[in-house]
Amino acid sequence: VLEAHRQGLRPALGYELNPWLLCLANYRAWKAGCRGKVSFLKKDLWKVNLSDCRNVIVFLAPSVKPPLATKLLAELPDDARVVAGRFPFPSWTPSSSLGQGLEQVWAYDMKEVRREAQGSAQESQV
């Protein structure tokens, strides 16, 4: 969230259920001079509507990626971009990738992800 804000993405908002991680995030925002400029909310990502989001950054375990992919496909607009840290989405083809190993991130453009998903669905119907 802090890096998204530094890169000019507004609003920069994070969701976290773990109170300790929420405290840590707010402390890091304060320490970085971003208090009041970024927000961290104690909310369940699965219950939040993401339809207004254009940039989504996720750092979640591989087991969570398939159901999250379904949620993102259903809610995000075509002009949204998703960045996954450490673990890629297994069924999506990234538009770009940066870094290596534990520092690797993958970027996905929702329009392309949807196009690929629709193509796969059509092929499976044949």
Side-chain angles (χ1 to χ4, degrees), residues 68-106:
L68 180 59
T70 301
K71 176 178 176 59
L72 296 175
L73 277 167
E75 295 180 10
L76 291 180
D78 276 348
D79 62 343
R81 175 167 261 211
V82 175
V83 176
R86 195 161 291 176
F87 306 108
F89 282 89
S91 61
W92 292 2
T93 302
S95 55
S96 61
S97 179
L98 182 66
Q100 295 179 23
L102 296 178
E103 301 299 319
Q104 189 168 3
V105 296
W106 296 263

Side-chain angles (χ1 to χ4, degrees), residues 15-91:
Y15 298 110
E16 178 59 60
L17 282 176
N18 182 317
W20 295 106
L21 292 177
L22 194 60
C23 252
L24 179 61
N26 281 309
Y27 169 74
R28 287 184 174 166
W30 170 79
K31 192 172 179 182
C34 293
R35 187 167 184 253
K37 298 175 186 173
V38 299
S39 301
F40 297 96
L41 302 177
K42 186 177 181 185
K43 289 195 175 183
D44 186 341
L45 178 64
W46 301 106
K47 295 177 181 173
V48 174
N49 184 330
L50 301 173
S51 62
D52 290 336
C53 296
R54 296 296 182 272
N55 295 285
V56 175
I57 302 166
V58 296
F59 185 83
L60 296 167
S63 62
V64 181
K65 294 291 174 72
L68 180 59
T70 301
K71 176 178 176 59
L72 296 175
L73 277 167
E75 295 180 10
L76 291 180
D78 276 348
D79 62 343
R81 175 167 261 211
V82 175
V83 176
R86 195 161 291 176
F87 306 108
F89 282 89
S91 61

